[in-house]
């Protein structure tokens, strides 16, 4: 809004006085002559500017009825029937509206929507105008300077201004209003004739008129943003824009002003004017206009956080002030916002893959180490099923009988007794090796009193071997497998082991213990492809003990103690 416009509004009625008087005289004569006349407008050609408000013309009949509907015909740009428009309805012209329209009486109307860039001298400010109430004013037709033809016809709504009861005249493309009233606000259309290739086009342009009061401001400006004593978050070492939006009451002589100040240390008496951009003004709303003032802090430093900032708006009535503070924004790094969900997703996916791949091992570990069998009241015929493959002795000395001492009684040294079971302790006092397959049945049955199931002894011959094995496992609380190189190469023995693993996976009242001898090692699991996959995976996680006959006495003692502990934790003694 410029002050020069308002000075023009003050002196303009002097020049309009003669125009208004002469026009009123001519208007009375013209009105008499136009009664009963009708213009032949059976085929019309109109042009509109894309994005501007447009209204299809209304046909004037002798009866005075003007309202009609224009419908798009099949020769439109889309090649099919289009929408319909009432002649008294405004709409924004678009390229898709180009086409031929007709009414029910056979009149045809062709509309061509052109781009703004094709006009050559398009001025967007011509499409909006403010007029002072109770004063004279003029409305220019947009683009009137782009053509030698300055004769235009003005319409407000669907009726020509010359046919309305109001003091006005038009000259050189300008519509002069002798006295502006509140009812003059709205959209005006100016039609200018253009002849191209023998076709007369009517170029229709729109002007939006806003009527504003002519009196000065009567109250202080209203600061709608920011709020008083509010705090804005900023990032250090980044630029920050301070926005102040103020509503001013209208005044003829503009005195509105908005400024940003920085108060050092919050001291209102120590103020410094900030560098500001050009204020931005919006349209009138209820006799007020909005002004937005921006001040830019190019680089926020910690010192800026110690100051306050005031927006002061002033007009002829007085000042309004709002003070704010700045605080540091806790910056959340973008990688953190994205990284945490991704990491969580990866962990969940990884855990799911591990569970899927290692589900068998996890089940065996849980059932072997963490789940106790509920065998109270469920009597079994055997405490343990012992599975082994007999390895022939390498010398005659190994065929000698084992004579372990009795390990009962309070006065017996258990460590000495168990150490005596080591085949290194012989009657001759020299080292000789006895197979573990000979020692375990003797110790478990004769010395510790457990009930063992030996397939070669306790299973009747002649039956199906697979059924005998499954039945023996069901009749036992525990399965002990003495693993050796010969054991892993024996298909029957491996079948017993595999059956025990499957039973362990299917029920909870079975415990499986592996004993590795010196003739077997974990490396045999990988080197023997004939072993079932189930057995290969289970041998890596099932509980086991290691036995080596050539180990020291202490190591041998630890083996027997671990074996007895495993037996006593699951079987009744």
């Amino acid at each position: 809004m410029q002050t020069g416009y308002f000075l023009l509004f003050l002196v303009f009625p002097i020049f309009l006085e003669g125009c208004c008087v002469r026009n009123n005289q001519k208007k009375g004569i013209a009105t008499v002559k136009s009664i009963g006349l009708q213009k032949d407008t059976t085929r019309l050609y109109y042009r509109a500017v894309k994005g501007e408000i447009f209204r299809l013309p209304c046909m004037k009949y002798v009866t005075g009825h003007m309202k009609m509907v224009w419908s798009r015909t099949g020769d439109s740009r889309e090649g099919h029937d289009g929408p319909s428009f009432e002649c008294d309805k405004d709409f924004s012209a678009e390229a898709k509206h180009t086409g031929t329209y007709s009414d029910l009486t056979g009149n045809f109307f062709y509309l061509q929507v052109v781009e703004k860039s094709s006009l050559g001298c398009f001025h967007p400010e011509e499409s909006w105008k403010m007029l002072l109430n109770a004063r004279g004013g003029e409305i220019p037709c947009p683009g009137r300077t782009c053509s030698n033809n300055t004769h235009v016809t003005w319409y407000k709504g669907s009726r020509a201004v010359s046919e309305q009861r109001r003091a006005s005249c038009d000259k050189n493309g300008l519509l002069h209003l002798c006295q502006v009233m509140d009812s003059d606000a709205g959209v005006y259309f100016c039609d200018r004739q253009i002849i191209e290739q023998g076709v007369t086009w009517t170029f229709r342009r729109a002007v939006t008129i806003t009527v504003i009061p002519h009196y000065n401001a009567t109250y202080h400006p209203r600061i709608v943003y920011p709020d008083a004593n509010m705090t804005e978050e900023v990032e250090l070492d980044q630029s920050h824009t301070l926005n102040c939006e103020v509503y001013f009451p209208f005044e003829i002589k503009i005195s509105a002003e908005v400024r940003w100040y920085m108060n050092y240390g919050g001291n209102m008496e120590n103020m410094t004017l900030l560098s500001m951009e050009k204020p931005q003004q919006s349209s009138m709303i209820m006799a007020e206009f909005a002004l937005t003032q921006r001040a830019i802090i190019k680089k926020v430093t910690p010192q800026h956080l110690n100051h306050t900032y005031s927006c002061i708006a002033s007009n002829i009535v007085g000042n309004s002030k709002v003070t704010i503070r700045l605080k540091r924004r806790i910056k959340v790094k973008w990688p953190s916002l994205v990284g945490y969900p991704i990491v969580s997703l990866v962990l969940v996916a990884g855990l799911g893959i591990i569970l899927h791949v290692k589900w068998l091992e996890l089940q065996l570990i849980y059932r072997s180490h963490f789940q106790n069998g509920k065998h109270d009241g469920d009597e079994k015929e055997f405490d343990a099923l012992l599975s082994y493959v007999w390895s022939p002795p390498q010398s005659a000395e190994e065929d000698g009988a084992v004579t372990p001492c009795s390990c009962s009684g309070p006065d017996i040294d258990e460590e000495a007794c168990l150490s005596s079971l080591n085949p290194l302790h012989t009657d001759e006092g020299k080292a000789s090796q006895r197979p573990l397959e000979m020692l375990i049945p003797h110790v478990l049955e004769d010395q510790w009193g457990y009930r063992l199931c030996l397939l070669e002894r306790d299973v009747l011959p002649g039956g199906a071997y697979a059924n005998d094995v499954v039945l023996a496992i069901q009749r036992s609380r525990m399965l002990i497998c003495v693993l050796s190189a010969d054991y892993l190469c024996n298909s029957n023995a491996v079948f017993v082991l595999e059956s025990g693993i499957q039973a362990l996976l299917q029920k909870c009242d079975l415990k499986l213990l592996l004993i590795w001898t010196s003739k077997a090692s974990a490396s045999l699991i990988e080197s023997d492809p004939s072993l079932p996959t189930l057995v290969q995976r289970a041998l890596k996680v099932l509980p086991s003990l290691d036995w080596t006959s050539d180990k020291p006495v202490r190591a041998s003692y630890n083996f027997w103690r671990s074996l007895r502990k495993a037996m006593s934790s699951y079987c009744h003694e």
Side-chain angles (χ1 to χ4, degrees):
M1 185 181 303
Q2 300 180 2
T3 307
Y5 287 158
F6 299 100
L7 296 178
L8 179 63
F9 291 152
L10 294 176
V11 299
F12 189 72
I14 299 175
F15 298 97
L16 290 180
E17 183 177 354
C19 170
C20 292
V21 172
R22 290 193 302 269
N23 184 70
N24 288 335
Q25 296 174 351
K26 294 179 180 179
K27 191 173 182 180
I29 299 174
T31 303
V32 174
K33 292 181 178 180
S34 62
I35 296 176
L37 299 179
Q38 178 180 0
K39 187 177 179 181
D40 182 13
T41 54
T42 57
R43 185 171 292 274
L44 305 174
Y45 296 88
Y46 270 71
R47 280 181 181 170
V49 178
K50 181 180 178 181
E52 286 190 357
I53 298 175
F54 189 78
R55 174 179 291 202
L56 296 178
C58 290
M59 303 294 294
K60 182 181 178 182
Y61 297 99
V62 177
T63 58
H65 181 70
M66 301 176 64
K67 189 173 182 179
M68 57 187 298
V69 177
W70 292 98
S71 301
R72 181 100 72 111
T73 60
D75 61 346
S76 61
R77 178 169 295 183
E78 283 92 3
H80 55 79
D81 291 344
S84 299
F85 295 97
E86 295 183 4
C87 68
D88 58 349
K89 301 296 183 182
D90 296 340
F91 61 93
S92 178
E94 300 293 340
K96 63 182 181 180
H97 295 145
T98 297
T100 302
Y101 298 80
S102 63
D103 64 356
L104 297 177
T105 62
N107 294 316
F108 287 91
F109 170 85
Y110 182 78
L111 174 63
Q112 182 186 51
V113 180
V114 298
E115 297 285 343
K116 297 177 182 178
S117 58
S118 65
L119 300 180
C121 56
F122 177 76
H123 302 289
E125 65 275 5
E126 295 180 341
S127 299
W128 180 78
K129 182 75 173 178
M130 285 194 309
L131 299 179
L132 287 175
N133 192 7
R135 303 292 180 91
E138 65 176 7
I139 306 174
C141 181
R144 65 188 180 89
T145 59
C146 302
S147 174
N148 295 328
N149 182 11
T150 59
H151 176 72
V152 298
T153 302
W154 285 93
Y155 293 85
K156 187 174 189 294
S158 299
R159 296 181 59 192
V161 175
S162 61
E163 300 176 357
Q164 300 179 14
R165 295 181 179 180
R166 80 128 20 267
S168 65
C169 64
D170 57 88
K171 183 178 182 180
N172 297 330
L174 294 174
L175 175 63
H176 301 280
L177 301 180
C178 299
Q179 186 176 11
V180 178
M181 298 176 291
D182 291 335
S183 59
D184 291 328
V187 180
Y188 288 75
F189 297 99
C190 60
D191 291 355
R192 186 171 69 252
Q193 303 295 322
I194 300 175
I195 300 177
E196 292 183 357
Q197 299 179 355
V199 177
T200 302
W201 293 86
T202 300
F203 200 177
R204 170 161 287 191
R205 304 294 300 275
V207 184
T208 302
I209 299 301
T210 301
V211 178
I212 57 179
H214 68 278
Y215 50 80
N216 287 327
T218 57
Y219 56 90
H220 294 75
R222 297 186 299 112
I223 301 178
V224 296
Y225 183 86
D227 297 329
N229 300 320
M230 73 174 291
T231 302
E232 290 189 0
E233 294 185 343
V234 296
E235 295 183 8
L236 295 180
D237 300 327
Q238 302 293 327
S239 63
H240 182 72
T241 301
L242 298 171
N243 292 301
C244 187
E245 185 176 353
V246 186
Y247 279 87
F248 288 90
F250 175 79
E251 51 187 343
I252 296 179
K253 186 177 180 181
I254 298 299
S255 62
E257 186 177 51
V258 182
R259 292 186 177 184
W260 274 103
Y261 293 90
M262 181 172 65
N263 313 310
Y264 286 94
N267 185 4
M268 297 298 179
E269 298 180 357
N270 189 6
M271 304 172 64
T272 300
L273 184 66
L274 294 176
S275 177
M276 293 173 291
E277 297 180 346
K278 183 179 179 180
Q280 297 181 358
Q281 179 180 329
S282 62
S283 59
M284 295 285 298
I285 302 176
M286 298 297 293
E288 288 186 330
F289 64 94
L291 202 64
T292 301
Q293 182 67 71
R294 293 183 175 89
I296 299 178
I297 302 175
K298 295 182 178 180
K299 185 177 181 180
V300 179
T301 63
Q303 288 74 19
H304 287 102
L305 306 181
N306 300 326
H307 309 320
T308 59
Y309 301 85
S310 297
C311 172
I312 300 179
S314 60
N315 61 1
I316 60 175
V317 178
N319 299 332
S320 298
K321 181 174 68 173
V322 167
T323 301
I324 67 171
R325 287 184 174 273
L326 303 180
K327 73 174 182 178
R328 182 177 180 180
R329 177 181 300 162
I330 301 177
K331 187 176 181 181
V332 180
K333 295 183 178 180
W334 183 83
S336 299
L337 294 176
V338 179
Y340 291 148
I342 291 179
V343 170
S344 301
L345 181 61
V346 170
L347 290 177
V348 172
L351 181 60
I353 293 174
I354 293 176
L355 290 176
H356 178 73
V357 175
K358 298 295 183 181
W359 181 243
L360 173 65
E361 288 82 351
L362 294 174
Q363 289 187 84
L364 292 175
I365 292 174
Y366 174 73
R367 294 182 182 274
S368 301
H369 296 277
F370 303 104
Q371 186 164 324
N372 297 322
K374 299 180 181 180
H375 51 267
D376 294 339
D378 183 17
E379 292 296 333
K380 298 288 186 178
E381 185 177 351
F382 301 102
D383 292 318
L385 169 61
L386 181 62
S387 175
Y388 61 88
V389 173
W390 176 257
S391 299
Q394 301 297 327
S395 62
E397 293 184 19
E398 296 181 4
D399 292 334
V402 180
T403 311
C405 64
S406 176
C407 293
S408 59
D411 299 331
I412 301 299
D413 186 356
E414 182 180 8
E415 180 175 354
C417 179
L418 292 176
S419 298
S420 66
L421 295 176
N422 191 339
L424 295 178
H425 296 270
T426 60
D427 295 338
E428 294 81 9
K430 59 183 179 180
S432 65
Q433 296 184 352
R434 293 186 181 275
L436 184 62
E437 294 86 351
M438 294 175 56
L439 295 176
I440 288 184
H442 182 75
V443 172
L444 295 183
E445 284 190 320
D446 299 340
Q447 299 297 324
W448 295 347
Y450 288 107
R451 297 168 298 175
L452 290 186
C453 176
L454 303 177
L455 293 177
E456 65 274 13
R457 183 190 68 186
D458 299 316
V459 176
L460 296 177
Y465 182 76
N467 295 335
D468 293 340
V469 170
V470 173
L471 182 60
I473 293 175
Q474 294 176 352
R475 295 162 60 191
S476 305
R477 299 185 187 280
M478 189 175 184
L479 173 61
I480 302 175
C481 296
V482 182
L483 303 181
S484 62
D486 296 332
Y487 188 97
L488 298 178
C489 295
N490 189 295
S491 60
N492 291 335
V494 172
F495 176 77
V496 175
L497 176 58
E498 184 177 11
S499 300
I501 296 172
Q502 293 177 349
L504 180 62
L505 293 173
Q506 295 174 2
K507 62 180 182 178
C508 305
D509 57 350
L510 179 70
K511 189 176 182 69
L512 203 155
L513 178 65
L514 306 179
I515 299 178
W516 293 91
T517 67
S518 58
K519 296 180 181 180
S521 64
S523 62
L524 295 173
I525 303 174
E526 303 292 342
S527 62
D528 191 353
S530 62
L531 288 177
T533 303
L534 176 64
V535 175
Q536 292 184 22
R537 297 174 63 179
L539 290 179
K540 299 176 182 179
V541 297
L542 288 174
S544 62
L545 298 176
D546 292 327
W547 164 264
T548 304
S549 58
D550 56 356
K551 284 186 177 181
V553 175
R554 183 66 185 178
S556 179
Y557 163 71
N558 291 336
F559 167 79
W560 292 110
R561 185 177 63 177
S562 300
L563 178 59
R564 186 164 191 176
K565 182 179 179 181
M567 296 292 296
S568 61
S569 64
Y570 206 78
C571 302
H572 294 295
E573 297 194 49

